[in-house]
Amino acid sequence: MDRLRIVGGERLQGAVAISGAKNAALPQIAAALLSPHPLELNNLPAVTDVDNMLGVIRLHGAEVSKGPGAVVIDASAALSKETSYETVRKMRATVLVLGPLLARFGHARVSLPGGCAIGARPIDMHLKALAAFGADIDVEGGLIVAEAPNGLTGARIVLSSPSVGATETAIMAATTAKGETEILNAAREPEVADLAVCLNAMGARIEGAGTHRILVEGTTAWRPATHYTIPDRVEAGTYAIAAAITGGELELTNARLEHLASVVQALEAAGVGIWPGDRGLIVSRSAPLAPVDITTEPYPGFPTDLQAQFIALMCCANGASLVRETVFENRFMHVPELMRLGADITLQGTTALVRGGRKLHGAQVMATDLRASVSLVLAALVADGETIVNRVYHLDRGYEGLDRKLHMCGANIERLGE
Ligand code: EPU
């Protein structure tokens, strides 16, 4: 298992190319199963979650050919097989194949994902949405068995909360359902909107993605398509925080300001400068960091996927801040590890009280999930001495070349083998 060795104290400077969004790429790969025509996906990030998802659709008979910067998926000979627990356990997002398989083949069998490091994460809303299209859903011995031998029928689906995954499942199932589907209280994340752009290029008829109300007109008129996946707003936010925490200046090429409004607002309140450049965004800090309270919320609120990184930043602010997590019930696994680096944080329920300004010191720390791990890397960039981050495979799931990108803009970071 690889580890990262980081020696803190370097100001980051230079340019970082922001990769394609992992959380946009994963449903788009699953969506390829809907159509018998090829889908070319450009700008997929080189991360292990994407490799895993490509592996899953290969298991279902899709052919995947990789070219420079693009992947072509040909699902003309795809079939609906059982997606095993072994596969789903590795990556919960695998459950996103359920909707496309059911929509195309009229049946799907996918293992029920369990809980994960950041919470119980049930999929009840996905299953309820599929049942609303007329599918019979049974959960037997840890396996979801979904049947719709006569196809799916358009429906009015009101999500009990704006789940990203359930919205994506509902959109994908609706693409081939007979008649019109209305999805209310839909998630508004840019990744949901990008899925609709991709599906519409494939021949689907979706309107309103990116708002709370999505309309889908069922179709079977699929066609070959090419899509360019949006840049990763969470990766961009992570590097913005890397520039801010080290008092440096980074150009985040490809980053999109419009996807980062709440993050920009919080960073500006902390004394960080962010402005659009010719190729993306420029982030710079020279003034001391001010404490800022944040609450995570569905988009366009402050993203839960940047909460851990923001806590690391607040550890370096002049004063105390409150960070409230409202999306996941157990997303503070980074806190005890940050405390090993000298951070002063008190957890109470869903709130972290971060008392900033204490000097951080290098230590051995353990990565527990993707975003928790990267917050440890950020803290290590400013800690005195050497930090070793263990279990780096968590980072490789969602950050393309993190150590290489940080090294190129001046960080003292190296990857150590076993
Ligand atoms: N939830 C339910 N029932 C459901 C679905 C969700 O109770 O049927 C709950 C979840 O347990 C959670 C909340 O609703 O408490 C929000 O979950 P959501 O469905 O919106 O999240 P997701 O689709 O499972 C995606 C991202 C996550 C990101 C969240 C929130 C992908 C592959 N994953 O997960 O990304 O945190 O949306 O924005 O798109 C990450 O990249 O590190 C990551 C965890």
Side-chain angles (χ1 to χ4, degrees):
M1 252 186 248
D2 285 0
R3 295 167 297 153
L4 288 179
R5 175 178 176 275
I6 300 158
V7 179
E10 305 295 335
R11 270 184 81 230
L12 299 192
Q13 260 182 318
V16 178
I18 300 305
S19 301
K22 165 185 80 86
N23 289 346
L26 297 176
Q28 288 163 15
I29 295 169
L33 290 172
L34 282 163
S35 165
H37 297 289
L39 171 64
E40 177 180 320
L41 290 174
N42 293 275
N43 202 35
L44 294 186
V47 295
T48 53
D49 271 8
V50 163
D51 290 340
N52 278 335
M53 198 63 156
L54 290 170
V56 171
I57 63 159
R58 273 199 191 99
L59 284 177
H60 289 284
E63 267 181 39
V64 177
S65 28
K66 282 191 178 178
V71 163
V72 178
I73 303 168
D74 178 348
S76 53
L79 357 128
S80 185
K81 290 198 189 162
E82 184 175 315
T83 311
S84 69
Y85 182 60
E86 233 0 84
T87 316
V88 179
R89 194 179 59 87
K90 255 200 246 163
M91 187 179 66
R92 290 181 48 87
T94 303
V95 84
L96 290 170
V97 299
L98 185 60
L101 290 175
L102 180 66
R104 177 149 171 215
F105 301 104
H107 59 97
R109 294 161 70 85
V110 177
S111 249
L112 196 64
C116 68
I118 63 177
R121 296 180 86 180
I123 57 154
D124 53 315
M125 283 188 261
H126 298 239
L127 301 185
K128 227 171 139 185
L130 294 177
F133 291 109
D136 275 333
I137 311 281
D138 270 319
V139 180
E140 300 160 359
L143 189 69
I144 306 157
V145 179
E147 301 282 348
N150 301 318
L152 300 173
T153 307
R156 183 169 188 269
I157 292 165
V158 186
L159 295 175
S160 54
S161 70
S163 152
V164 174
T167 304
E168 292 167 344
T169 289
I171 291 177
M172 291 190 282
T175 55
T176 62
K178 286 177 211 98
E180 191 176 274
T181 293
E182 182 183 23
I183 306 167
L184 294 170
N185 199 22
R188 288 184 284 170
E189 270 68 1
E191 294 75 18
V192 172
D194 200 44
L195 173 64
V197 173
C198 175
L199 285 164
N200 283 343
M202 293 164 67
R205 290 186 288 179
I206 305 162
E207 278 176 26
T211 74
H212 278 319
R213 179 171 180 261
I214 300 177
L215 294 175
V216 187
E217 187 67 46
T219 182
T220 47
W222 297 106
R223 53 177 181 253
T226 297
H227 180 70
Y228 190 91
T229 302
I230 52 168
D232 196 317
R233 65 193 165 99
V234 181
E235 190 194 22
T238 302
Y239 283 103
I241 293 175
I245 204 167
T246 63
E249 179 163 318
L250 290 178
E251 181 187 19
L252 311 178
T253 64
N254 313 323
R256 290 207 196 155
L257 194 58
E258 72 268 26
H259 292 166
L260 286 161
S262 58
V263 179
V264 169
Q265 195 178 32
L267 288 176
E268 284 180 343
V272 180
I274 305 190
W275 60 94
D278 293 340
R279 304 188 298 171
L281 287 181
I282 318 275
V283 185
S284 174
R285 179 178 71 85
S286 44
L289 275 169
V292 177
D293 297 343
I294 58 147
T295 298
T296 64
E297 281 166 353
Y299 189 84
F302 192 95
T304 173
D305 289 344
L306 284 168
Q307 176 259 103
Q309 300 88 317
F310 199 78
I311 288 193
L313 183 68
M314 288 299 100
C315 290
C316 303
N318 281 335
S321 53
L322 287 175
V323 174
R324 241 182 99 222
E325 172 61 54
T326 72
V327 180
F328 290 106
E329 69 279 13
N330 182 29
R331 210 174 193 183
F332 283 124
M333 307 282 277
H334 41 289
V335 166
E337 297 301 304
L338 286 169
M339 288 168 73
R340 290 176 57 75
L341 297 175
D344 183 350
I345 307 171
T346 309
L347 275 183
Q348 196 165 35
T350 56
T351 303
L353 167 64
V354 187
R355 292 183 200 83
R358 282 181 59 166
K359 187 73 200 128
L360 302 181
H361 301 280
Q364 289 258 357
V365 286
M366 188 74 84
T368 48
D369 72 73
L370 177 59
R371 311 302 174 188
S373 322
V374 87
S375 78
L376 304 176
V377 172
L378 293 171
L381 292 174
V382 286
D384 273 344
E386 177 184 285
T387 297
I388 303 285
V389 182
N390 292 290
R391 297 196 183 170
V392 171
Y393 63 87
H394 286 294
L395 287 166
D396 295 333
R397 289 186 60 172
Y399 285 95
E400 175 174 334
L402 179 79
D403 40 325
R404 173 179 49 83
K405 289 184 185 183
L406 285 173
H407 181 74
M408 275 173 59
C409 45
N412 186 342
I413 181 168
E414 65 175 321
R415 185 179 280 254
L416 309 172
E418 197 64 42

